[in-house]
Amino acid sequence: MRVIQKFSIASLFMWAVPIAILYAFNNNLLPGTSNLSPHSLTLVSGFLAVISVNIVIAFYIYLAMREPADKHEPDPKFLAEAKASINQSTGDAQQSSQPLKKQQ
């Protein structure tokens, strides 16, 4: 449950922070932005918005890496189905290659 919570919060920040930066720059809420030309204003606000998204992503990755790996146990039913699927696909590949060997 905490994983979904962390993901939701990170997603919210990835959406909200760049919008807030663009809004603040375009509405002259930050000191010194009124002196910039429209071209510079667009470049600076866009660059900072992109940087902010990358910072949020890096922070989310950091939180994910800090989470203990031994805490999560895979579902036994899922593992059994996955192993059966792999064994079945491997068996199919071996069976399909045998007629080729006979033809050669």
Side-chain angles (χ1 to χ4, degrees), residues 80-94:
E81 290 175 0
K83 287 179 182 177
S85 173
I86 290 172
N87 291 337
Q88 180 183 7
S89 65
T90 305
D92 291 344
Q94 289 175 354

Side-chain angles (χ1 to χ4, degrees), residues 10-25:
S11 297
L12 176 71
F13 278 114
M14 278 193 290
W15 179 82
V17 172
I19 298 294
I21 289 172
L22 291 172
Y23 181 81
F25 269 89

